[in-house]
């Protein structure tokens, strides 16, 4: 048995894993969806980047979880990658689901083509929060109208400081046992169907593995059963690596 700690991306909360969690529990694992400070049921709690990292570490320590598979989707790959370093031998594996990955001294917005200028302007115009996008934002991502409605209805504005403050890493991310899940819609041009440069470099590590999913950026909604199987496979990968490195 492992303990999955599930952290959804920007504007989302623990609720976003509602369709995935039952498959993991049915396989006999512990499942711990987590809402980060300032979002969903924790809306109104002040938060910066370090707050979100501590949210994850504190959840693992509070419940005394062992054999932890940390799962970060989209934005949450940034705090999840940092938290993975800080939970020590409690960590079994990290799974980055179509996510950003942290780089020491860089923020979530650092890698954006314009350096995040447009998002920063939006944050400034909306009281320090990244606003919830319109339904059209989710078009072309393999989602049904009902799934899009759930996403829009459940989303909350995202604390801007968590997007602009830099990550802090103690060591190279390539040293972590990790799976990167790349979500690409069928028919995408080949040049757009490959990992970003920073992820591609990390995948050169023998401790990292790439998994592709033929769906859009929100697989916990569009393909929950398939995503659950990817996570279960990652838990099994942890057993193989344990045998190699013990």
């Amino acid at each position: 048995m492992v303990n999955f700690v599930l952290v959804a991306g920007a504007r989302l909360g623990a609720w976003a894993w509602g369709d995935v969690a039952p498959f993991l529990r049915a396989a006999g694992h512990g499942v711990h969806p987590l809402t980060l400070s300032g979002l969903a049921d924790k809306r109104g709690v002040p938060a910066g980047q370090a707050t979100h990292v501590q949210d994850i570490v504190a959840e693992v320590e509070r419940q005394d979880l062992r054999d932890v598979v940390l799962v970060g989707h989209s934005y949450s790959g940034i705090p999840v990658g940092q938290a993975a370093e800080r939970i020590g031998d409690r960590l079994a594996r990290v799974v980055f689901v179509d996510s950003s990955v942290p780089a020491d001294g860089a923020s979530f917005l650092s890698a954006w083509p314009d350096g995040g200028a447009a998002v920063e302007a939006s944050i400034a115009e909306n009281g320090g929060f990244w606003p919830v996008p319109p339904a059209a934002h989710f078009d072309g991502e393999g989602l049904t109208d009902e799934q899009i409605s759930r996403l829009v209805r459940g989303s909350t504005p995202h604390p801007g400081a968590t997007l602009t403050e830099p990550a802090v890493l103690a060591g190279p991310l390539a040293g972590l046992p990790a799976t990167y899940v790349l979500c690409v819609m069928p028919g995408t041009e080949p040049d757009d169907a490959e990992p970003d440069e920073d992820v591609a470099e990390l995948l050169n590590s023998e401790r990292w593995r790439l998994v592709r999913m033929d769906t859009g950026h929100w697989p916990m909604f569009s393909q929950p059963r398939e995503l659950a199987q990817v996570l279960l496979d990652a838990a099994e990968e942890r057993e193989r690596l344990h045998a190699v490195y013990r």
Side-chain angles (χ1 to χ4, degrees), residues 130-147:
W130 196 17
V132 174
H137 176 72
F138 303 99
D139 289 346
E141 296 288 346
L143 297 161
T144 66
D145 289 345
E146 187 274 334
Q147 289 164 347

Side-chain angles (χ1 to χ4, degrees), residues 164-189:
T164 59
E165 292 178 358
V168 179
L169 291 175
L173 206 61
L176 295 174
T179 297
Y180 191 89
V181 182
L182 181 66
C183 296
V184 180
M185 287 293 292
T188 300
E189 291 295 326

